[in-house]
Amino acid sequence: MSYYVTTPIYYVNAEPHLGHAYTTVVADVVARFKRLKGEEVFFLTGTDEHGDKIVQAAQKAGLSPKEYVDRMSKAFRDTWPLLNISYSRFIRTTDPEHKRVVQLVLQKIYDQGDIYFDEYEGLYCFGCERFLTEKELEDGLCPDHKTPPTPLKEANYFFKLSKYQDWLIDQIKKHPEFITPERYRNEILSFLREELEDLCISRPKTRLTWGIDLPFDDRFVTYVWFDALLNYLSGIGYPDDPRWQKFWPAHHIIAKDILKPHAVYWPIMLRALGVPLYKGLHVHGYWNVGEAKMSKSLGNIVRPAYLVDKYGCDQVRYFLLREMAFGLDAHFSEEALIRRINADLANDLGNLVFRALTMVRKYFGGEVPAPDEGKEADKALQALAKQVVAEYDREMEGFQFHRALASLWELIGETNRYVDHQAPWSLMKEGNTARAATVLYHVLEVLRIVAGCLWPVCPASAEKILTNLGLSLEELSFSRLEEFGRLKPGLKTKRGKALFPRLEKEETPPEPSKEKKSEALLPFEEFTKWDLRVAEVVMAERVPGTDRLLKLRVRCPEERTVVAGIAEFYKPEDLVGKQVILVANLKPAKIRGVVSQGMVLAAKDKEGLKLVVPESRVNPGAKVS
Ligand code: MSP
């Protein structure tokens, strides 16, 4: 059996953030789960590199589009190994084979008469890279980007979406598994109740050259969505490569922001092309910070590299999957992450592993003990393990990862209680070695099953548990988890170190009293907690209604918004291009309605404020220590 899973290809106008990381980790978990079940998997991710947005971002960075996309695409490729992402291929829309496929498809659809030339006037959102209808606007603004759309009148090529509208409605109605969860299927069906407009698929080169030429009119480049969606075909070698025959159709994972292109344009493109439709579109909600979606344009992003460095890869992966109900929005906070690590990973799972292996070492010389026929309590644990594996399987297949993990944690919790009740230490004291052996065998066997199920989500930790149980990773397969009692007595176990160290809650220290402030000496570790970085100001403006505050966009190296109380001493226009020192790991704070992500350092005397700046130019994001 083969399985093809994709993430969106991410725009390279922003550094990778936790929102991108979530979709990519989900795809990785699905890929690993399918591999665990013995399927051959192709997992595609990549970057979307054409279009207006990218040109604008390159200009801002003072680079050519090519230099810019090379640098930013690399930022994604450098991030995924930190999260242990096991993709099969990383596609870039600037790859020559991709361009060839886009041109081939355009020509075919043009030749069969589904593309025509016309003039169009409408409201264009550069953030969404598409025309918006009046109805979609909220208070005259794009609902996603909170910016006014630009009126545009242009002669362009159009793709006949409308011709396929009835067919698409029928397809979605007949196949409930085509778009899931159901709320998104309903959203699309309700959108399709209105007449579908044809899709403008070109941009005149007079306005945009950074794209793929239309093969039938080189005065135009193709629309970025038409280009981007085709990555799902070019990425597995459509039309000639045997991999495409083997792996297509795909399962696509996306967030709700790009539902329409995937649920409307894409199936119609495939249909027009005569290619079988994708198997499933799996749509998730947003990671929010406070009330707002985490996004570059809102300046509230969290960098995956920062989290992995601070908390560990498996910890972050587990949190992402456990905390978000797939399909709904979730809130991100470091407090919630710390809570999950301490409660679920360190206390429940970590302790169970540690105490089981410690007892096996102490009572049985580290060898898996042999069980006897067992008692009621053992049979009950076996039955629960079987039931949990079945539930886990069902929930993983249904993309309900949080439920799959909750079910696994029921088994972990019950096993902890089993250890407490059976108390192998008392059994040993009483000289009942046979019973202690049976109990510990059951605990080790649960750990084998738990580690196997957990492998797709926390691969490195699961592998540690399995090797500590004396197992070889080659034997890891889902069918072996469904059967209780496969662990062979006599295997040599290893206790190893604690899997998930407990984290101290980061308390905000009480404000020291005024008199003591200058005397208080801090240990060096306090200083190392500060993430101080060089940040470059790319934009500055006054915060309306105040005399003191400026809103700055800074690069450090990702872009953020910070509010600084320096308006009395600096003009906004004098700050652009200046390098400053940023405290980058402060909790975001809302100041006069603007979310500030950090604090800029300044020195104060009776003359006023002076910004602290590096002595000469350094790379934005450089650490200050
Ligand atoms: N380039 C297009 C996609 C083309 S796919 C053929 C694009 N790129 S994007 O960089 O904006 O990525 C959007 C995707 O990133 C979302 O669909 C989601 O997978 C992920 N996310 C970005 N921000 C997110 C959140 N705050 N929360 C959850 N996912 C987020 O659109």
Side-chain angles (χ1 to χ4, degrees):
M1 287 264 276
S2 60
Y3 191 91
Y4 178 27
V5 61
T6 70
T7 71
I9 46 171
Y10 304 110
Y11 285 131
V12 287
N13 63 338
E15 299 269 339
H17 63 67
L18 202 68
H20 306 123
Y22 175 72
T23 320
T24 313
V25 169
V26 166
D28 187 62
V29 168
V30 171
R32 286 176 187 269
F33 178 63
K34 292 290 170 184
R35 288 188 201 120
L36 187 64
K37 290 182 108 178
E39 297 193 28
E40 204 178 333
V41 175
F42 195 89
F43 167 13
L44 184 72
T45 189
T47 41
D48 190 355
E49 306 186 3
H50 290 128
D52 292 303
K53 275 212 248 215
I54 309 300
V55 175
Q56 284 165 9
Q59 272 165 359
K60 225 173 181 180
L63 297 171
S64 72
K66 176 75 176 114
E67 284 167 335
Y68 178 77
V69 298
D70 284 349
R71 177 200 282 188
M72 294 296 287
S73 174
K74 185 170 178 301
F76 283 86
R77 268 170 290 140
D78 287 348
T79 298
W80 300 147
L82 306 176
L83 281 158
N84 218 342
I85 303 296
S86 60
Y87 60 77
S88 318
R89 170 152 187 218
F90 189 98
I91 182 152
R92 302 179 57 186
T93 53
T94 48
D95 287 343
E97 322 92 85
H98 171 75
K99 293 189 190 174
R100 195 176 59 78
V101 170
V102 172
Q103 292 191 323
L104 188 106
V105 168
L106 281 165
Q107 188 69 53
K108 179 165 190 302
I109 297 183
Y110 180 71
D111 290 346
Q112 73 195 31
D114 279 343
I115 289 175
Y116 63 94
F117 193 65
D118 200 4
E119 183 147 294
Y120 187 79
E121 188 165 10
L123 297 169
Y124 195 77
C125 172
F126 284 92
C128 297
E129 298 274 20
R130 67 181 179 92
F131 284 98
L132 301 179
T133 58
E134 292 276 1
K135 245 183 152 178
E136 282 178 288
L137 304 182
E138 281 171 13
D139 300 327
L141 303 179
C142 161
D144 279 343
H145 297 91
K146 313 282 179 230
T147 48
T150 312
L152 275 185
K153 186 176 176 182
E154 269 174 8
N156 265 313
Y157 285 89
F158 288 81
F159 175 44
K160 287 187 186 164
L161 286 188
S162 52
K163 172 174 156 191
Y164 294 94
Q165 178 160 6
D166 292 340
W167 163 81
L168 182 61
I169 295 173
D170 195 48
Q171 155 71 21
I172 298 175
K173 283 193 173 155
K174 278 200 187 128
H175 301 277
E177 74 295 348
F178 189 59
I179 303 169
T180 60
E182 204 186 344
R183 53 171 47 219
Y184 298 110
R185 175 172 176 259
N186 294 340
E187 191 177 317
I188 287 298
L189 283 173
S190 106
F191 170 74
L192 287 171
R193 267 187 225 124
E194 306 272 322
E195 205 175 311
L196 202 52
E197 284 180 25
D198 289 343
L199 180 69
C200 173
I201 57 145
S202 64
R203 299 290 177 266
K205 278 194 186 163
T206 45
R207 175 152 80 80
L208 175 77
T209 51
W210 185 242
I212 301 176
D213 284 3
L214 294 188
F216 41 84
D217 189 342
D218 65 6
R219 293 170 306 154
F220 291 85
V221 293
T222 188
Y223 169 47
V224 64
W225 270 106
F226 208 92
D227 165 358
L229 288 161
L230 284 166
N231 93 86
Y232 300 134
L233 289 184
S234 67
I236 42 161
Y238 171 86
D240 310 317
D241 194 312
R243 282 178 310 174
W244 126 259
Q245 267 107 21
K246 178 167 183 180
F247 288 104
W248 185 261
H251 286 266
H252 299 308
I253 305 175
I254 60 164
K256 60 185 178 182
D257 52 346
I258 51 177
L259 176 62
K260 206 184 288 172
H262 282 83
V264 180
Y265 311 165
W266 184 224
I268 294 181
M269 284 165 71
L270 290 167
R271 165 81 179 178
L273 196 57
V275 162
L277 300 185
Y278 55 76
K279 277 218 178 98
L281 182 65
H282 307 275
V283 189
H284 63 79
Y286 293 150
W287 281 97
N288 293 329
V289 181
E291 292 307 304
K293 176 189 175 195
M294 185 184 295
S295 80
K296 173 191 145 106
S297 46
L298 299 177
N300 58 0
I301 64 163
V302 177
R303 287 180 313 138
Y306 158 77
L307 287 183
V308 170
D309 187 45
K310 190 161 171 191
Y311 299 104
C313 166
D314 282 356
Q315 285 87 334
V316 173
R317 289 175 62 113
Y318 173 78
F319 170 79
L320 290 174
L321 274 275
R322 180 66 186 85
E323 196 75 7
M324 178 177 259
F326 192 89
L328 303 177
D329 290 356
H331 284 275
F332 174 80
S333 76
E334 282 189 57
E335 288 78 9
L337 171 58
I338 293 173
R339 267 199 305 276
R340 283 274 172 217
I341 293 175
N342 282 345
D344 300 3
L345 296 177
N347 277 6
D348 296 346
L349 177 59
N351 269 350
L352 182 63
V353 173
F354 196 72
R355 64 182 179 151
L357 290 172
T358 303
M359 285 189 277
V360 171
R361 180 163 85 170
K362 191 162 164 200
Y363 306 143
F364 298 99
E367 280 185 12
V368 175
D372 59 19
E373 66 282 6
K375 291 189 173 179
E376 237 356 72
D378 314 332
K379 303 264 165 11
L381 190 66
Q382 292 182 18
L384 180 69
K386 233 183 152 63
Q387 182 195 324
V388 163
V389 173
E391 258 168 39
Y392 180 82
D393 186 19
R394 198 178 54 243
E395 301 295 2
M396 290 291 281
E397 289 288 349
F399 278 65
Q400 292 301 303
F401 313 104
H402 67 299
R403 290 212 209 121
L405 290 169
S407 156
L408 204 55
W409 254 255
E410 250 172 57
L411 177 60
I412 294 169
E414 193 47 43
T415 311
N416 268 318
R417 284 188 286 279
Y418 169 85
V419 176
D420 294 343
H421 289 151
Q422 301 301 321
W425 49 92
S426 306
L427 295 168
M428 289 304 289
K429 251 195 218 141
E430 292 159 12
N432 196 349
T433 313
R435 179 72 198 135
T438 304
V439 169
L440 285 174
Y441 178 84
H442 277 76
V443 178
L444 296 184
E445 182 56 352
V446 166
L447 288 179
R448 178 186 70 87
I449 291 169
V450 165
C453 287
L454 195 61
W455 181 76
V457 181
C458 302
S461 312
E463 287 174 12
K464 251 189 234 158
I465 299 176
L466 293 169
T467 46
N468 286 352
L469 288 174
L471 293 166
S472 119
L473 295 175
E474 279 85 70
E475 290 173 42
L476 184 57
S477 90
F478 196 75
S479 59
R480 293 198 170 122
L481 306 174
E482 292 166 314
E483 209 183 310
F484 201 97
R486 290 195 70 105
L487 190 66
K488 291 211 179 65
L491 281 179
K492 194 87 194 124
T493 69
K494 226 177 27 225
R495 189 177 66 171
K497 286 201 204 112
L499 274 178
F500 305 104
R502 250 194 92 77
L503 300 167
E504 289 317 314
K505 198 165 154 256
E506 289 188 351
E507 308 269 10
T508 353
E511 185 73 13
S513 68
K514 282 257 156 51
E515 311 72 66
K516 285 201 181 146
K517 212 170 180 174
S518 57
E519 290 164 23
L521 293 179
L522 297 176
F524 179 69
E525 297 76 68
E526 283 299 313
F527 174 70
T528 59
K529 286 185 191 162
W530 292 94
D531 180 6
L532 296 176
R533 295 193 223 156
V534 173
E536 190 161 294
V537 180
V538 290
M539 196 203 78
E541 62 189 20
R542 283 183 177 276
V543 176
T546 81
D547 297 332
R548 232 173 48 80
L549 300 179
L550 291 184
K551 176 177 156 189
L552 309 178
R553 286 290 288 169
V554 297
R555 236 165 21 103
C556 62
E558 80 276 7
E559 280 200 13
R560 297 182 180 207
T561 298
V562 286
V563 175
I566 52 172
E568 293 154 85
F569 309 100
Y570 289 89
K571 286 205 213 95
E573 56 272 27
D574 295 341
L575 289 171
V576 176
K578 210 176 184 68
Q579 295 201 317
V580 294
I581 306 298
L582 180 78
V583 185
N585 60 344
L586 284 181
K587 274 194 196 147
K590 207 170 194 178
I591 306 171
R592 292 290 183 123
V594 183
V595 179
S596 179
Q597 282 222 297
M599 187 176 91
V600 166
L601 294 187
K604 190 175 182 185
D605 64 9
K606 55 182 185 316
E607 312 277 300
L609 278 179
K610 293 273 178 322
L611 285 169
V612 178
V613 298
E615 195 242 343
S616 59
R617 210 192 118 75
V618 288
N619 283 333
K623 285 251 167 233
V624 177
S625 53

